[in-house]
Amino acid sequence: MVSSIPTPTPTPTLIPIPIPTPIAVANESAGDTQAKNLFSLFLHHHLGSISTNAMHKLRFFATTARNLETLLAEELRGLGLNQVTETRAGAHFSGTLEDAYRVCLWSRIANRVLLPLAQFEAVDADALYAGVRAIDWSEHLNPSRTLAVYADSARSAIDHGRFAALKIKDAVVDQVREQSGSRPNVDTLRPDVVLHCHLFRDQATLSLDLSGDSLHRRGYRVGSGAAPLKETLAAAILLRAGWPAIAAGGGGLLDPLCGSGTLPIEAALIAADIAPGLTRDHWGFTGWLGHDADAWESLLEQARRRRQAGLEGLRASTIVLRGSDRDPRTVRVAQDNAQRAGLTRYLRFEQRDLGDCSPLQQEQPGLLVSNPPYGLRLGADSHLPALYATLGALLKQRFDGWRAAVFTANPELGKRMGLRARRFHSLYNGPLECRLLHFEVNTAAHVSDQPRPLPPAERGPGADMLANRLRKNQKNLKKWLRAENITCYRLYDADLPEYALAIDIYGAAEQNNAPDRPARRFAHVQEYAAPPSIDPRDARRRLREALGVIPEVLEIAEQDLFFKVRQQQKGTAQYQRLADKGRFHQVHEDGLRLLVNFEDYLDTGLFLDHREARRLIGHLAAGRRFLNLFGYTGSASVHAARGGACSTTTVDMSRTSIEWARRNLALNGYSGRDHAFIQADCIDWLRKARADHSDFGLILLDPPSFSTSKRMHGTFDVQRDHVELIRAAMNVLTSDGELIFSNNLRRFRLDHQALADVHIEDISPQTLPRDFLRNPRIHQCWRLRKGASNASEKIT
């Protein structure tokens, strides 16, 4: 019978073993003669067997994810191991059984630790079976133990993993049954012994999996977010980002998009010198007959002492480890995971919008690390550019002197951050190739994402066409603008398909304008995302032409032109910060002063297409209590107050919006108890308002198309949820009151049947301003009153 443990010298040549596919029996191929297989095993036997005593040197293989082999080899050397050789998908190392246990317990990036038992030719199923039967399995398991077998194959005659695993299992249980009269059972969940077979060019390498289960399963994470990082990948990100040195220097860590908290938890384990495997309760060696229980218990005791000392040191240090997320559910998951890791006292997880994150007072510069979402195509997740722009603005405005590491599978999104990465690492998240971008946050790394305008000499004939169209539109609108006293309007809306831009003009209302010169004007230019059929280079050139033409034709100073990319938004992406400059400008609307911000958000704070709806609110408000739901910056509340509303109540989930609304009303002289500002989920607030018997004579209900706000329970979809929302609002409407319902979802269809007891008038055409006639579906608007109506009335 051949020994199941390879002799220390000479060590058999081992084949790099990639991560096997988790199945009960796996992939391979066969090839030559049974005699050759047995001859290979005879060599192992002839060279002698070796005890599994922890003092004997053995050869092991630790697997890891692609592109982490070098990092794994460095880690193994740091654990005191020698003869470390990195190879594809892992690294070989020599050591005692106790050394292998140490790797299982302490490695942060290894997936598995394998002890090769034998290597032999397996040119067909019979050869594979015979090779496995030649091992003395009584050294490894008995009939009372359970077994799982996994296999993979490449360039081998046996090319089906499940078939190969079944043959290996048969060979093992047949031998044990012949020797003892009974056989071990298969258990794919928590087996006592796990075998892995790798077949490559008809050579089989059969190994004992000492880890039992992938080492990324630390044991602390039960709940997770939508796309969680494996713990091993999170640790690799932190190691590549230089977190151990930053923590040693007293720097803190922040993950502002923390999800289930994997990055902060792994950072805490590193900073506190805690073995990542200390919280695991199952290993692949504890049920193995060759297990050295004394050596393992000694390692556990050492790890427990180091953990205690590390946590005491962390408690006494200035290091602050934080994670935040806008979704309260994922924050609770992160807190639960930290509790299971025993780190609740050392980690702070809180519910916070990305744009509200900042360093703590007196906090030493540290590491901001994040794994933001990265849709495979920008068209599939068009809110992501704004998210990355917000992240970049956050770093530039508040985290000067920090280091940042951003993990993404879409490098184009990384460019939206407006920061120059000093280097990057290519890593893999499963099969997906990703980039780990490293930033030194300082002014030298700042990059402007606004294209450089083309000078006249470099422009094509299309630029003249655009200039002529802008002059024509100005002339056509001039008389109407003067008659209506409108200073904020849309001048151009993709009139020429080659120049897919929206150009809005805002006339300043600052008091320092000299009477002998025209008022200052701003141009807010938004580029619509080009379809995939358009060459990005052509689109970029036309944009640069436009940015040169616009200020010339409109006679606007270059610094008064603001450019953004307009994408279809999801959730509350239009409210996310793109910058943090805090520069507000006053503009006029019907004699009222309103604040706009051209730089910090995708939208300015004043929706120009709702101008007529705001005028209608002012006309209907006299003597009524006005409720502004999803109130944004409160411009409709200002119109209602000027129109004679006896009170206004503005409700919005965003703290920024609520403060903006408060400033808008105060700017026009409206403050005090008659004007309330409430930061809340509008749906929840309506339920409470009904219970409090609140009622309003006029309500504006202008919800987003879709929202996943952190203060909402679940998601909001205006098409799906509008009936429930309208009914909730009607419950707080007086018997003679009116509800103005509006939304911007182009495909929206009002459910008249479900609202048959409500009097409905379609006032969409009436509320569409002249400067938006090119885009009649930009919003839809209805006027609702209590009382049945057989069909909606359309007012033209």
Side-chain angles (χ1 to χ4, degrees):
M1 189 65 65
V2 178
S3 170
S4 62
I5 304 295
T7 56
T9 53
T11 302
T13 301
L14 299 179
I15 299 169
I17 305 173
I19 308 163
T21 305
I23 46 178
V25 185
N27 242 4
E28 357 354 354
S29 133
D32 224 23
T33 66
Q34 182 175 348
K36 290 182 179 179
N37 295 332
L38 295 175
F39 176 72
S40 176
L41 288 171
F42 168 77
L43 289 178
H44 289 285
H45 177 68
H46 179 72
L47 291 169
S49 63
I50 184 168
S51 165
T52 59
N53 184 284
M55 295 304 295
H56 288 90
K57 292 287 185 177
L58 303 169
R59 193 70 171 157
F60 302 92
F61 185 70
T63 70
T64 193
R66 187 175 173 185
N67 284 11
L68 292 182
E69 297 91 344
T70 300
L71 192 61
L72 173 62
E74 293 172 359
E75 182 186 54
L76 293 175
R77 295 185 185 103
L79 291 173
L81 301 172
N82 53 33
Q83 297 183 33
V84 176
T85 307
E86 65 179 89
T87 185
R88 184 176 180 274
H92 300 284
F93 65 93
S94 295
T96 64
L97 189 58
E98 183 175 343
D99 290 330
Y101 288 173
R102 182 177 294 106
V103 176
C104 288
L105 184 60
W106 281 97
S107 177
R108 301 186 188 279
I109 57 176
N111 288 331
R112 298 181 184 275
V113 178
L114 304 177
L115 170 60
L117 302 179
Q119 185 181 43
F120 52 90
E121 276 192 293
V123 295
D124 56 28
D126 291 340
L128 178 63
Y129 181 91
V132 177
R133 277 293 301 260
I135 299 171
D136 184 359
W137 290 105
S138 66
E139 296 183 5
H140 304 290
L141 76 166
N142 57 40
S144 66
R145 296 294 200 262
T146 56
L147 174 70
V149 183
Y150 300 86
D152 61 86
S153 176
R155 304 180 191 178
S156 298
I158 301 176
D159 58 1
H160 194 282
R162 183 172 295 276
F163 171 76
L166 284 170
K167 294 301 293 184
I168 295 167
K169 183 267 298 181
D170 289 344
V172 174
V173 300
D174 287 350
Q175 184 194 105
V176 175
R177 182 167 43 219
E178 289 176 8
Q179 292 176 347
S180 64
S182 59
R183 52 155 287 178
N185 290 323
V186 171
D187 181 356
T188 59
L189 298 178
R190 289 172 67 93
D192 294 314
V193 173
V194 180
L195 298 177
H196 281 262
C197 182
H198 175 62
L199 279 159
F200 183 71
R201 291 179 177 172
D202 298 331
Q203 287 287 321
T205 301
L206 187 61
S207 302
L208 177 73
D209 183 0
L210 298 176
S211 42
D213 198 359
S214 176
L215 293 174
H216 83 270
R217 296 188 174 96
R218 315 287 205 216
Y220 65 74
R221 193 170 76 182
V222 176
S224 61
L229 284 176
K230 283 187 176 181
E231 293 85 332
T232 44
L233 180 56
I237 289 170
L238 292 164
L239 294 174
R240 283 300 191 200
W243 168 242
I246 294 172
L253 178 135
L254 170 64
D255 181 355
L257 300 164
C258 70
S260 57
T262 306
L263 281 165
I265 292 173
E266 290 295 318
L269 295 177
I270 293 172
D273 188 34
I274 298 174
L278 200 54
T279 51
R280 283 171 58 110
D281 62 356
H282 180 70
W283 297 92
F285 50 76
T286 52
W288 173 49
L289 295 183
H291 174 45
D292 188 334
D294 291 338
W296 176 239
E297 189 54 44
S298 176
L299 286 171
L300 286 177
E301 184 56 34
Q302 293 172 18
R304 294 184 187 108
R305 289 197 298 268
R306 286 175 61 174
R307 179 185 185 278
Q308 182 177 353
L311 290 177
E312 290 174 356
L314 189 60
R315 190 182 307 119
S317 73
T318 59
I319 298 174
V320 180
L321 300 162
R322 294 184 293 147
S324 60
D325 199 282
R326 66 190 306 272
D327 186 344
R329 293 163 297 182
T330 59
V331 170
R332 287 193 293 270
V333 169
Q335 291 168 339
D336 291 342
N337 290 340
Q339 183 179 22
R340 279 186 288 270
L343 296 170
T344 300
R345 296 178 58 187
Y346 310 93
L347 286 166
R348 301 183 189 178
F349 288 109
E350 59 183 351
Q351 178 183 325
R352 186 180 293 272
D353 281 328
L354 174 62
D356 293 333
C357 294
S358 63
L360 299 175
Q361 194 171 16
Q362 306 299 322
E363 184 177 12
Q364 182 174 327
L367 175 68
L368 186 147
V369 62
S370 184
N371 171 39
Y374 39 79
L376 297 181
R377 296 181 299 106
L378 290 184
D381 294 280
S382 57
H383 66 296
L384 295 180
L387 175 69
Y388 278 74
T390 300
L391 179 58
L394 183 75
L395 287 166
K396 289 186 285 187
Q397 297 294 328
R398 302 178 188 172
F399 288 87
D400 190 67
W402 281 57
R403 291 169 67 177
V406 177
F407 187 67
T408 180
N410 195 328
E412 290 302 312
L413 287 173
K415 294 178 182 179
R416 301 283 184 169
M417 295 173 61
L419 283 169
R420 184 178 293 105
R422 61 184 176 89
R423 63 188 177 114
F424 69 87
H425 284 98
S426 291
L427 304 176
Y428 279 81
N429 188 0
L432 193 62
E433 184 176 9
C434 300
R435 293 276 180 90
L436 177 60
L437 307 174
H438 301 275
F439 302 94
E440 296 281 358
V441 185
N442 52 49
T443 53
H446 292 193
V447 178
S448 173
D449 60 353
Q450 181 158 325
R452 180 178 61 85
L454 274 181
E458 299 181 29
R459 299 172 194 163
D464 293 333
M465 295 172 57
L466 176 63
N468 290 334
R469 179 54 63 99
L470 294 178
R471 295 188 185 101
K472 177 182 177 181
N473 288 358
Q474 275 192 304
K475 182 178 179 181
N476 290 341
L477 293 175
K478 185 176 180 180
K479 185 180 296 185
W480 171 72
L481 293 173
R482 184 182 298 116
E484 296 287 329
N485 192 26
I486 294 172
T487 58
C488 302
Y489 57 95
R490 176 150 295 183
L491 175 65
Y492 176 94
D493 197 357
D495 301 33
L496 305 176
E498 298 85 355
Y499 297 89
L501 305 170
I503 304 174
D504 295 327
I505 305 302
Y506 291 81
E510 281 89 345
Q511 296 178 351
N512 60 355
N513 283 324
D516 58 343
R517 65 177 181 177
R520 183 182 182 187
R521 293 193 303 165
F522 303 96
H524 187 250
V525 181
Q526 301 174 85
E527 181 189 27
Y528 295 114
S533 59
I534 301 297
D535 188 327
R537 292 170 296 183
D538 293 341
R540 186 76 170 180
R541 179 176 180 82
R542 290 169 187 157
L543 173 61
R544 293 180 61 196
E545 289 178 338
L547 294 180
V549 166
I550 293 168
E552 293 174 6
V553 172
L554 302 183
E555 298 180 348
I556 290 175
E558 184 177 335
Q559 66 268 22
D560 290 341
L561 185 150
F562 301 93
F563 167 74
K564 295 165 189 167
V565 177
R566 187 82 201 183
Q567 308 262 7
Q568 181 180 358
Q569 299 303 308
K570 290 185 178 181
T572 56
Q574 67 265 40
Y575 307 125
Q576 292 179 336
R577 289 185 186 271
L578 303 180
D580 193 21
K581 297 183 179 179
R583 286 197 281 261
F584 288 83
H585 302 273
Q586 292 183 26
V587 297
H588 274 139
E589 183 173 82
D590 293 342
L592 297 170
R593 290 176 178 268
L594 299 171
L595 295 172
V596 293
N597 185 314
F598 300 115
E599 299 166 275
D600 293 347
Y601 303 92
L602 184 62
D603 289 314
T604 65
L606 182 64
F607 292 126
L608 300 183
D609 64 298
H610 283 268
R611 184 189 310 116
E612 296 302 325
R614 288 189 290 272
R615 286 176 167 176
L616 177 62
I617 292 294
H619 175 71
L620 297 174
R624 287 171 159 172
R625 298 180 67 223
F626 173 64
L627 174 61
N628 189 358
L629 294 167
F630 303 95
Y632 192 32
T633 60
S635 54
S637 299
V638 179
H639 276 266
R642 202 266 301 272
C646 57
S647 70
T648 68
T649 300
T650 305
V651 184
D652 198 282
M653 288 179 289
S654 168
R655 179 176 60 190
T656 300
S657 294
I658 286 296
E659 290 305 314
W660 199 332
R662 192 190 308 273
R663 291 177 64 188
N664 271 337
L665 270 88
L667 187 64
N668 292 276
Y670 304 114
S671 59
R673 297 176 60 183
D674 291 335
H675 303 284
F677 305 90
I678 300 170
Q679 182 188 358
D681 171 8
C682 290
I683 298 174
D684 285 346
W685 185 85
L686 282 171
R687 296 191 187 104
K688 296 174 183 176
R690 183 186 185 188
D692 294 339
H693 304 290
S694 300
D695 57 357
F696 298 88
L698 180 63
I699 299 175
L700 173 61
L701 180 58
D702 183 22
S705 299
F706 183 81
S707 180
T708 56
S709 171
K710 65 185 183 181
R711 294 182 179 87
M712 294 186 67
H713 302 293
T715 61
F716 172 80
D717 182 308
V718 70
Q719 184 62 68
R720 181 191 68 201
D721 301 324
H722 73 277
V723 172
E724 178 185 358
L725 180 61
I726 288 173
R727 291 206 172 278
M730 297 290 284
N731 285 334
V732 296
L733 186 69
T734 60
S735 59
D736 59 346
E738 296 184 81
L739 169 67
I740 307 299
F741 173 63
S742 175
N743 75 78
N744 294 76
L745 182 64
R746 292 177 181 270
R747 301 182 304 276
F748 179 81
R749 293 292 181 270
L750 189 70
D751 191 342
H752 293 279
Q753 184 175 358
L755 296 168
D757 58 333
V758 178
H759 189 274
I760 302 172
E761 302 174 32
D762 185 350
I763 58 173
S764 300
Q766 180 181 331
T767 58
L768 182 68
R770 176 178 170 181
D771 47 329
F772 284 87
L773 290 178
R774 280 187 55 83
N775 191 5
R777 301 290 290 176
I778 193 167
H779 76 248
Q780 300 181 70
C781 195
W782 292 267
R783 188 171 175 176
L784 289 77
R785 296 186 293 273
K786 292 184 176 181
S789 174
N790 293 329
S792 72
E793 303 173 15
K794 177 169 285 191
I795 298 178
T796 59

